[in-house]
Amino acid sequence: GKVYRLEETNVPGGYEKAEDIYFTVDKDGKVTVSATEEGKFTGLEEDKVGMVDEYAKQSVTISKQDIGGKEIAGATLSVYDGDKKIASHVSEKDKSWTLEGLEVGKVYRLEETNVPGGYEKAEDIFFKIDKDGKVTVSATEDGKFTAPEENKVVMVDEYRGYTAVISKQDIAGKE
């Protein structure tokens, strides 16, 4: 029989364009489908052709800051999908990092794997992105995710605490 092609011509925001689907309809209304026009056509449980859009990959902006809100240099930041490191970046003064190609709804972990001198290591941050690119963050993987003030992941390093011993001495070095 005749081969028809179902093509998505207008893709909704936040989604990838679906692959074309080729199908036939026999005289009894039985539908068969294939991924290519010349491919193997297989029957369906229901005589209905379905097309599924995958979510588009998203990006996230990551900012490494001191407690004063200034972006700092020298921190190595790593992003993990489960136990698998998917990206690393060394922070730069006054610059954020944009990481692309992330899956919608998946929980990622941001870890500071190298701390710049004079700072304490920051706690890990868990984050995820929805289909509209909105970021939410949490202190734990299964915790409550909340939207940050700006739509980005901000990791803050606190200054390393130093202690100083002060002693008052006379000119001869006696306290």
Side-chain angles (χ1 to χ4, degrees):
K2 183 165 171 49
V3 176
Y4 299 93
R5 178 172 60 105
L6 178 62
E7 175 188 8
E8 183 173 29
T9 56
N10 187 14
V11 184
Y15 294 93
E16 297 285 342
K17 183 180 187 296
E19 295 291 321
D20 290 355
I21 298 172
Y22 295 88
F23 66 99
T24 63
V25 181
D26 72 12
K27 63 181 176 28
D28 299 322
K30 187 83 182 131
V31 177
T32 59
V33 296
S34 174
T36 62
E37 195 168 1
E38 302 80 27
K40 181 176 185 292
F41 283 79
T42 55
L44 301 170
E45 280 183 36
E46 296 179 48
D47 287 325
K48 161 168 96 174
V49 178
M51 180 176 272
V52 177
D53 282 347
E54 298 292 327
Y55 289 122
K57 299 287 188 200
Q58 295 291 333
S59 64
V60 66
T61 300
I62 298 171
S63 179
K64 181 63 184 166
Q65 300 178 0
D66 65 15
I67 57 174
K70 291 221 180 281
E71 289 180 316
I72 57 175
T76 303
L77 305 175
S78 298
V79 174
Y80 293 85
D81 175 357
D83 291 332
K84 182 177 168 229
K85 185 192 298 183
I86 60 166
S88 268
H89 174 78
V90 177
S91 66
E92 299 175 58
K93 185 177 182 344
D94 301 326
K95 282 182 106 174
S96 293
W97 170 36
T98 300
L99 177 59
E100 298 181 351
L102 300 176
E103 291 182 41
V104 168
K106 182 173 272 195
V107 176
Y108 295 96
R109 178 173 56 90
L110 174 64
E111 179 184 351
E112 184 172 25
T113 50
N114 185 46
V115 184
Y119 293 97
E120 297 285 345
K121 182 182 189 296
E123 294 292 320
D124 292 358
I125 297 173
F126 294 88
F127 67 92
K128 59 187 175 181
I129 309 161
D130 73 11
K131 71 177 182 62
D132 299 317
K134 299 280 183 268
V135 176
T136 53
V137 296
S138 176
T140 59
E141 188 170 6
D142 52 4
K144 182 176 192 293
F145 282 79
T146 57
E149 207 169 290
E150 295 180 45
N151 195 42
K152 63 182 172 183
V153 178
V154 177
M155 180 176 267
V156 177
D157 272 359
E158 295 196 9
Y159 296 110
R160 182 173 291 134
Y162 292 101
T163 57
V165 177
I166 300 170
S167 75
K168 175 79 170 149
Q169 300 176 348
D170 65 17
I171 198 161
K174 293 197 168 117
E175 287 195 45

